[in-house]
Amino acid sequence: MTTTAPGEEGTRQDAPVVSAPSVFRLKPFRYVFAASAVSVLGTQISYLAVPLLAVTVLDASPGQVGALAALGTVAFLLIGLPAGAWTDRMRKRRLQITADLVRAAMFGSVPVAWWLDVLTIGQLYVVVLVSGFATVFFDVANQSYLPHVVGRDQLAEANAKLVAMQAVNQVSGRSVGGYLVQLLTAPLALAVNAVTFLWSAVCLLGVRTPEPRPVRRPDTHLGREILEGTRFVLGHPLLRPLALEGALTNLALQMIVTVLPVLFVRELGLPEYALGLFLAMAGAGVFIGSVSARAISRRLGEGRAMWVTGLCVAPAGFVIPLIDRGPMLWAAGGAYLLMTFKVGTDNVLKVTFRQQATPTHLLGRMNATFRFLLTGSLAIASVLAGVLGETVGVRSALWAGAAVLSVSWLLVFFSPYRKARELPS
């Protein structure tokens, strides 16, 4: 990052380039990376297994599938903002380990209940809701912990490695998830997810780097701390458009993904593994986007890269509602690949800038505010998709998601990013 103001090209003096050591040389990062890798793999399996379990085992309706998706993310709307203030007061590693153990217990209860023949849609609602609360704290603590582990000068590389890993796990996890549901049933696939959360906790226990003691001023108040974090994000001319655009993008993508299990299994009569392979395209798109992000940033400039990818992929969403057996299935898969390419670039460029632009004492609240908006929009999208699927058909939800995606990038375009090439530190 440079100190050049948005919209100014600036000049630079030639200086020798010194290659920084790989972030993998940092032992704490290797543990954090391993914990994230195994956790994301299991999460991608459950991402597919939970709705398929509801549809195939519990005979859930489109509305109930939408409710499940909403309950998995509604926690970000309910406690997302105070979670940031609480996280700034706590040790981040300890909080992540606790969240992993809670999620392992929740998902582990599903195969047990299924084996005892007492599994109900109500229990599944509780599992995804409680796990969602744990995920709020894990995600906020995780993004706030990373600058401490690698230092701010290696955040871009660390984020690129993590996003690429997550993308690979999206491909493998969703593909494996589809086959696991096909071969072992959805409840046993969720048992695998429970084990991955336990392994994530073990990996985090291996991080021995002393974590600075959180400093809390004696005059602090939870409400004032929350307000300080939201004001920082929504009052920042460069962070505000990223938060609002990200919320709309997530809204669009979630509306599409929520109804895909119903469309694939019931309307098109495709096997479960076909859905897994289709959703695995997201992992491929995110991976390609993540490894391309820094090259795109250098080519277009840091500012312009924030909105150009959104413009380029906007038309792709309108291919998804046309999905059918045969060639249109492949065309929709290609469109989904392009849509998730944008997610990969965003997760490297925008997350890195957020972390670099935020003072250390506000990292938790900044991340919580973004999570509140970005992930809270997933809950709203799931409800909207469920309602549209029940009332006017699942393809209506796909058209609505495509329409939102086609305009979301304009929030960043009509901001200081439009003319900025380089961003301020």
Side-chain angles (χ1 to χ4, degrees), residues 293-358:
R294 287 189 286 174
I296 291 173
S297 178
R298 289 191 296 268
R299 179 73 174 177
L300 301 177
E302 296 170 329
R304 296 189 187 108
M306 299 291 190
W307 60 268
V308 169
T309 52
L311 168 63
C312 292
V313 307
F318 292 106
V319 181
I320 303 296
L322 304 176
I323 191 171
D324 203 343
R325 286 175 170 269
M328 283 310 302
L329 182 61
W330 292 98
Y336 195 49
L337 179 75
L338 288 175
M339 292 156 59
T340 53
F341 173 88
K342 175 186 181 302
V343 176
T345 60
D346 287 355
N347 286 350
V348 174
L349 301 179
K350 295 178 182 179
V351 171
T352 298
F353 179 67
R354 283 161 40 187
Q355 293 167 330
Q356 291 176 329
T358 304

Side-chain angles (χ1 to χ4, degrees), residues 15 34 43 53 64 95 106 157 196 203 235 250 255 260 283 319 325:
T43 299
L53 183 151
Q64 289 174 318
L95 187 57
M106 287 294 101
E157 182 190 357
T196 62
C203 291
N250 281 4
M255 290 186 71
L260 282 181
V319 181
R325 286 175 170 269

Side-chain angles (χ1 to χ4, degrees), residues 135-366:
T135 298
V136 171
F137 286 100
F138 184 92
D139 286 357
V140 172
N142 181 264
Q143 290 193 342
S144 304
Y145 188 51
L146 187 62
H148 165 69
V149 173
V150 303
R152 290 176 182 259
D153 59 329
Q154 290 189 286
L155 275 173
E157 182 190 357
N159 280 316
K161 296 291 191 296
L162 287 169
V163 173
M165 172 274 297
Q166 291 164 3
V168 171
N169 274 342
Q170 280 186 328
V171 175
S172 58
R174 295 181 186 185
S175 301
V176 170
Y179 283 108
L180 283 177
V181 172
Q182 187 85 17
L183 298 175
L184 302 178
T185 71
L188 293 182
L190 290 179
V192 175
N193 190 30
V195 173
T196 62
F197 285 129
L198 288 175
W199 186 247
S200 174
V202 171
C203 291
L204 288 171
L205 285 170
V207 180
R208 300 299 182 186
T209 303
E211 185 176 350
R213 185 181 185 89
V215 178
R216 182 183 177 188
R217 300 188 301 271
D219 60 340
T220 55
H221 180 273
L222 180 63
R224 287 195 294 270
E225 289 181 327
I226 294 172
L227 188 59
E228 185 181 9
T230 54
R231 279 178 173 171
F232 174 75
V233 172
L234 298 180
H236 197 295
L238 294 176
L239 294 183
R240 181 177 60 251
L242 297 186
L244 298 179
E245 185 268 345
L248 277 186
T249 298
N250 281 4
L251 182 82
L253 293 176
Q254 184 68 7
M255 290 186 71
I256 292 170
V257 170
T258 297
V259 297
L260 282 181
V262 179
L263 180 65
F264 267 66
V265 176
R266 287 193 180 157
E267 293 196 10
L268 300 180
L270 294 169
E272 289 87 346
Y273 71 82
L275 176 62
L277 291 174
F278 184 88
L279 293 179
M281 296 297 291
V286 172
F287 176 78
I288 297 170
S290 67
V291 299
S292 306
R294 287 189 286 174
I296 291 173
S297 178
R298 289 191 296 268
R299 179 73 174 177
L300 301 177
E302 296 170 329
R304 296 189 187 108
M306 299 291 190
W307 60 268
V308 169
T309 52
L311 168 63
C312 292
V313 307
F318 292 106
V319 181
I320 303 296
L322 304 176
I323 191 171
D324 203 343
R325 286 175 170 269
M328 283 310 302
L329 182 61
W330 292 98
Y336 195 49
L337 179 75
L338 288 175
M339 292 156 59
T340 53
F341 173 88
K342 175 186 181 302
V343 176
T345 60
D346 287 355
N347 286 350
V348 174
L349 301 179
K350 295 178 182 179
V351 171
T352 298
F353 179 67
R354 283 161 40 187
Q355 293 167 330
Q356 291 176 329
T358 304
T360 301
H361 72 283
L362 282 172
L363 277 170
R365 280 165 284 175
M366 178 276 293

